[in-house]
Amino acid sequence: MAVDAVDSVSRTHDPVVTTPYGAVRGRYEDGIAVFRGIPYAAPPFGARRFRPPVPPEPWDGVRDAGEFGPTPPKPPYSEAFARLLADPVVPGDDCLNLNVWTPEPGPGARLPVMVWIHGGALTRGSSAVPVYDGHAFARDGVVLVSINYRLGVEGYGLFPDAPPNAGLRDQLAALEWVRESIARFGGDPDRVTVFGESAGAISIGALLASPRAQGLFRRAVLQSGPPEASERDKVRRMVRRMATRLKVPATARAFAAVDRALLLRTQADVARLSSPVLGGPAFGIVVDGDLVPRDPMEALLAGGAPDVELLLGWTSEEYRLWLAPGGLLERVDRLGPVALAGAMARCRCGHEVPRGYRAIHPGAGTADLVGQMVTDHLLRVPLHRLADARPPRTPAYVYDFAWPSNVPGLGACHALELGFVFDTVEVPQAAQLAGPGAPQELADAMHAAWVRFAVEGDPGWQAWDASHPVRIFGAGAPHTVLGPRDRELALWDAESGRPGAPLSSPESAPSSRPRRPRRVMAVRPSSWPPLPPRAGGGRSLP
């Protein structure tokens, strides 16, 4: 028989909590109640393939929630990336599941809640990655929820006979489950913070702007991912190229009939033609007139989600994860002017931008210039403008993760901050990216800032204003720098003044992005790479 209470005093028995669909039994691990693999939606296969999620079937008795549930279908990382990024696979169809870490299971605790949406280019990743263990958040008084959602063609294929954005609809369904159920696990449904990295942050940007997600969370953290919508044709090209290789029509019905393993292999083959730096067709969130009624950045710059507090940021050398593992750094350096021309095409900018970057960073190689240009254009410029657009009553806070990995060549690369945010730098999978000897004191500081933001709405440093304060998490104590990227970003402001030039991502219409005034700073040489942050031109605060 299902029960509503748990033995939260003696903790001598496994915790049992009743959800709307049935009771689940978790485990006490180091004093924290952990529930894994709880279904929030029915398996998305059979008649439900490529369709929006529906609630799970209720179950009788008590369902065991001691192990991670199945992970959504996904291809493995290439060998070069697999050495750096863990991505476990748990077989099974019931892949729309989530996990809960809570210090006080039961309806009376009313603790703040954080919901983690993982990254992985919308094609890889899961909530079972060891780096995402929620123990430290629960230890510090936060109920941590991590979710799975459909990936790749299963979650973001664009078909004429199926609704788009199935993976984003999964995330919405998981947040609705949190709203309905989390109080039974000790959480407060009115104090929910969503946080995600890379594709997870891009997803949060879409949810921020979606009318259907309003009221489901109070705060949001976007790590290395801006609000954006992909061009529909860009996503269609992925599906069409897969269809051509599979020799089937580019329809959901035809793809559903293809062997899943073959579908994943074909997806991986087609995706090799794309990368975050080089561009190309890719799966992405699209405007659908329903869940995503308009471009998320446009909606947010126009005043969307005015009551949601934001924490935004990036790593100092995002691009090194995309270029270093496959030897592209060296290849781009050898290509020289040809690579710069490619970056200009990727960013749709004129010669003034790379000339400006060269003047600011005269000692940088071509790969570093290209990487920083593309990172600024696709990531930092839109996040700066999002921070600028926030109303004074709901401030935004901006950070830069600047600690360089101990793995040669990676620097302060994309995804490196995750072990520090989760306070899991001691986990072997975190060391794959960070190398040995990651500083625990940096993890203590960064994790504490995320907890404080979830609890109080203030991570502990100056809110964004016209001086552009950025919290630097790098070597030494965290500190705030004013305008560390202003010289580079001023180049994009100047570029956006050209007739027909885009203001941010190339997927968005220039006329839809309001241009904000900014003083264009003089371009002066500085050292490279831009660490410590003072070398980037900003003014340090005590």
Side-chain angles (χ1 to χ4, degrees), residues 355-365 369 487 523-528:
R355 285 173 185 162
Y357 275 78
R358 180 65 75 187
I360 296 170
H361 306 292
L369 287 180
R487 288 179 294 164
V523 174
R524 303 186 303 274
S526 70
S527 63
W528 182 266

Side-chain angles (χ1 to χ4, degrees), residues 218-502:
R218 182 173 172 180
R219 301 181 177 110
V221 184
L222 281 71
Q223 301 173 212
S224 302
E228 66 178 20
S230 295
E231 294 176 343
R232 294 177 72 90
D233 188 59
K234 183 178 178 180
V235 180
R236 281 197 192 99
R237 289 204 307 272
M238 283 292 288
V239 174
R240 288 170 180 162
R241 290 179 181 185
M242 290 182 65
T244 298
R245 295 193 180 207
L246 293 167
K247 299 180 180 178
V248 300
T251 65
R253 181 177 181 180
F255 273 51
V258 176
D259 175 76
R260 279 193 223 168
L262 175 59
L263 201 63
L264 290 176
R265 288 197 301 272
T266 305
Q267 175 183 304
D269 288 342
V270 170
R272 290 193 180 97
L273 303 174
S274 306
S275 82
V277 173
L278 304 177
F283 292 111
I285 296 165
V286 298
V287 174
D288 59 18
D290 171 25
L291 180 58
V292 187
R294 62 185 294 197
D295 179 275
M297 180 61 93
E298 293 176 7
L300 293 172
L301 292 184
D307 298 321
V308 179
E309 296 153 333
L310 299 182
L311 174 57
L312 316 166
W314 47 76
T315 70
S316 292
E317 298 171 290
E318 299 270 2
Y319 61 95
R320 285 186 168 266
L321 181 65
W322 306 322
L323 296 181
L328 283 176
L329 282 171
E330 294 79 7
R331 290 174 58 189
V332 171
D333 275 336
R334 288 197 300 270
L335 287 171
V338 175
L340 278 176
M344 289 166 55
R346 173 80 168 114
C347 299
R348 300 185 183 181
C349 68
H351 291 279
E352 295 82 0
V353 172
R355 285 173 185 162
Y357 275 78
R358 180 65 75 187
I360 296 170
H361 306 292
T366 300
D368 287 320
L369 287 180
V370 166
Q372 290 289 7
M373 277 179 56
V374 174
T375 300
D376 285 349
H377 176 66
L378 296 179
L379 179 60
R380 294 192 185 102
V381 167
L383 287 181
H384 264 244
R385 293 179 179 178
L386 177 58
D388 282 342
R390 303 308 292 166
R393 70 178 186 274
T394 49
Y397 300 87
V398 177
Y399 74 90
D400 183 319
F401 183 82
W403 181 79
S405 170
N406 287 322
V407 176
L410 288 185
C413 70
H414 190 69
L416 181 59
E417 87 282 10
L418 293 174
F420 296 83
V421 168
F422 279 85
D423 192 10
T424 53
V425 291
E426 81 289 349
V427 172
Q429 290 81 2
Q432 290 178 231
L433 200 61
Q440 180 59 50
E441 61 274 16
L442 182 58
D444 293 340
M446 200 166 193
H447 173 76
W450 264 238
V451 170
R452 177 170 167 172
F453 180 71
V455 174
E456 303 176 12
D458 176 355
W461 64 86
Q462 180 182 345
W464 187 259
D465 59 21
S467 68
H468 301 166
V470 177
R471 192 68 163 178
I472 307 298
F473 292 94
H479 58 284
T480 300
V481 173
L482 300 181
R485 299 278 178 176
D486 277 3
R487 288 179 294 164
E488 292 90 342
L489 298 181
L491 297 169
W492 297 104
D493 276 351
E495 179 72 13
S496 69
R498 295 168 56 244

